[in-house]
Amino acid sequence: MTPQDYAFLQNFLKEKSGLVLSNDKQYLVESRLMPIARKSGLQSIEELIGKIKGLGDRGLQNAVVEAMTTNESFFFRDKTPFEHFTNTIIPHLVETRKRGKVRIWCAAASTGQEPYSLAMSIKENASKLAGLSFEIIGTDISNEVLEKAKVGIYSQFEVQRGLPVQLLLKYFTQKGEMWQISPEIRSMVTYKPYNLLDQYTALGQFDVIFCRNVLIYFDQSTKVDVMQRLAKQMPADGYLLLGAAETVVGLTNAFQAVSGKRGLYCKAGSPQANSASPEPVSRGAVANGSFGARAIGAGTTMPRSSTFSGSRLSSIPGGRK
């Protein structure tokens, strides 16, 4: 691949998904895009790029973006965010929403493990919810992973990663060597293809937003833009959850870290702000646009959603998680 072709791909992926592809990933590009080229009857990456340039083939463009995203995800990933949801967010919602509807957005939902983990958490805490109703929206840039999420069928390997056995037996049915999550849990989640670079107004307001392991794909200006727009989609007492290697420092003043709750943020000036504190900049924090734990090829969920997934590129902008 010529330097010019690689530069085109870098610009193309940045424009279409926000993904910042570093200069040392050419080997990865070739390994992931050659199958796309062959499937399209092309003999080389150069021919593939030429077709994208010349015809503007939307289907081929989407295939290239999806091929360059990583969509590994697993149930109750990192565990801590789900503890925050159960122990901090749910009590707050019960106190403030009374019998209203709670809307949750899982950006970069990937193959559905994050939103389904939340749905199971809600079911497990039903006795505490005092009549609240919940709407969970999972978005991702990849239609392919969203289709898998909708069906909710996972391999033995996938259900063994993070899913407590009691929840497996309670909410899944074995189908040969696979496991399918129950219709009851699947009905709690609505999946939509969405790119985090798009406007969010059509999605409406959300009380809780999970946007984990997504920002690390973006450069600084894109991160700032995404964070500011997320803040506008949340009420004054909304909650935002980011990945362990992510931070709002240097990106926005709209959120504050909740003291003692790693990865949990509230709106600045919100009722919860008394329990919030300035967030220290740590070595693990990602604020400069470089790849971190969820970097391409690192074996983690890429917002393919929202397009990254969580999804979760769940949330390229939209999952992965």
Side-chain angles (χ1 to χ4, degrees):
M1 186 188 315
T2 67
Q4 292 77 15
D5 282 341
Y6 191 69
F8 169 81
L9 278 176
Q10 288 177 305
N11 293 330
F12 170 79
L13 291 168
K14 172 70 165 55
E15 177 185 350
K16 296 296 183 183
S17 68
L19 172 64
V20 177
L21 189 64
S22 60
N23 291 328
D24 62 348
K25 298 296 181 182
Q26 184 166 331
Y27 72 94
L28 188 63
V29 170
E30 293 174 344
S31 66
R32 293 194 180 179
L33 294 191
M34 269 310 299
I36 303 297
R38 294 192 184 102
K39 187 176 180 180
S40 301
L42 306 172
Q43 300 301 312
S44 66
I45 301 294
E46 288 74 14
E47 285 187 50
L48 178 66
I49 292 173
K51 191 169 183 180
I52 293 174
K53 288 179 179 178
L55 301 179
D57 187 319
R58 180 66 62 87
L60 190 59
Q61 290 178 354
N62 291 341
V64 168
V65 171
E66 292 195 17
M68 292 308 302
T69 65
T70 303
N71 288 283
E72 179 183 90
S73 184
F74 49 93
F75 292 99
F76 296 95
R77 183 179 181 183
D78 298 335
K79 193 167 151 184
T80 299
F82 300 97
E83 293 175 348
H84 294 337
F85 181 72
T86 299
N87 300 328
T88 300
I89 297 175
I90 283 181
H92 173 79
L93 294 172
V94 169
E95 175 65 25
T96 60
R97 298 301 188 273
K98 306 304 181 187
R99 302 183 67 83
K101 176 181 282 189
V102 174
R103 301 191 76 231
I104 303 172
W105 179 16
C106 291
S110 188
T111 45
Q113 285 93 324
E114 180 177 84
Y116 286 144
S117 295
L118 286 170
M120 286 185 279
S121 296
I122 290 167
K123 281 294 182 184
E124 290 297 292
N125 288 276
S127 62
K128 307 174 185 177
L129 298 181
L132 287 177
S133 62
F134 287 82
E135 179 183 10
I136 305 173
I137 306 295
T139 65
D140 202 280
I141 197 171
S142 168
N143 280 294
E144 181 180 351
V145 298
L146 290 179
E147 288 304 313
K148 176 174 179 177
K150 291 175 185 178
V151 175
I153 295 179
Y154 302 94
S155 67
Q156 185 71 37
F157 174 73
E158 288 172 312
V159 298
Q160 286 177 330
R161 302 185 70 193
L163 183 65
V165 66
Q166 66 269 26
L167 297 185
L168 173 64
L169 298 176
K170 186 174 183 178
Y171 294 115
F172 289 75
T173 300
Q174 189 165 14
K175 294 181 176 294
E177 297 182 353
M178 308 294 284
W179 293 82
Q180 185 169 30
I181 200 162
S182 71
E184 178 185 33
I185 298 298
R186 276 183 281 146
S187 69
M188 295 175 66
V189 184
T190 300
Y191 292 100
K192 299 179 180 181
Y194 214 81
N195 191 316
L196 280 179
L197 299 188
D198 295 337
Q199 295 300 314
Y200 307 157
T201 50
L203 294 174
Q205 291 276 298
F206 292 94
D207 302 283
V208 184
I209 297 179
F210 278 68
C211 188
R212 302 192 299 141
N213 306 313
V214 176
L215 297 179
I216 57 178
Y217 290 117
F218 302 146
D219 62 17
Q220 182 78 354
S221 62
T222 305
K223 291 177 185 179
V224 169
D225 178 59
V226 168
M227 294 299 295
Q228 297 288 17
R229 289 190 290 125
L230 287 178
K232 292 179 181 179
Q233 299 307 120
M234 303 172 67
D237 65 341
Y239 282 104
L240 171 69
L241 293 101
L242 299 179
E246 295 171 321
T247 179
V248 300
V249 172
L251 301 178
T252 178
N253 294 320
F255 294 101
Q256 291 177 257
V258 177
S259 181
K261 307 290 183 180
R262 177 174 59 86
L264 180 63
Y265 299 85
C266 64
K267 294 283 286 288
S270 70
Q272 310 98 295
N274 289 333
S275 62
S277 61
E279 184 183 20
V281 179
S282 66
R283 289 189 177 183
V286 178
N288 60 7
S290 62
F291 282 109
R294 201 180 182 199
I296 191 166
T300 50
T301 302
M302 200 172 167
R304 265 189 164 260
S305 126
S306 268
T307 265
F308 277 88
S309 317
S311 42
R312 320 181 146 321
L313 299 174
S314 36
S315 252
I316 293 177
R320 257 7 280 14
K321 299 185 239 104

